Amino acid sequence: MRSAKILACCAMAAVAAPAALAADALPPGFATPGATEAFRATGIGAQIYACAAAPDGRLTWILREPVATLLDAAGKTIGRHFAGPTWEAAD
């Protein structure tokens, strides 16, 4: 099997100014009737992929891990998101 080559792709585009993080409306498809929002965070980061041979011998991209910084509505770092998937608070 060929050795994997790593490619970092930007999966989450950098967000605009912190004021944009405070938007009250959820994107279409994210509504959860009856649920109460505990907090909201925005992630800025990347998805890391590895190029490896599939069982049929062809090369394919495989998700290796996400890497993101989580921000609150004021733009302050409140945690991070990484392989697992895992979310870790900054406190």
Side-chain angles (χ1 to χ4, degrees), residues 42-82:
T42 297
I44 298 175
Q47 298 279 64
I48 300 174
Y49 290 85
C51 181
D56 64 3
R58 299 176 78 179
L59 293 178
T60 187
W61 291 108
I62 301 168
L63 176 64
R64 200 179 96 195
E65 64 183 304
V67 179
T69 299
L70 304 176
L71 307 171
D72 66 10
K76 178 183 172 193
T77 297
I78 59 170
R80 65 190 190 111
H81 171 51
F82 53 97

Side-chain angles (χ1 to χ4, degrees), residues 16-36:
L21 300 176
D24 290 328
L26 291 173
F30 282 83
T32 50
T36 302

Side-chain angles (χ1 to χ4, degrees), residues 5-37:
K5 293 182 181 178
I6 299 170
L7 173 68
C9 295
C10 183
M12 292 175 275
V15 295
L21 300 176
D24 290 328
L26 291 173
F30 282 83
T32 50
T36 302
E37 184 176 301

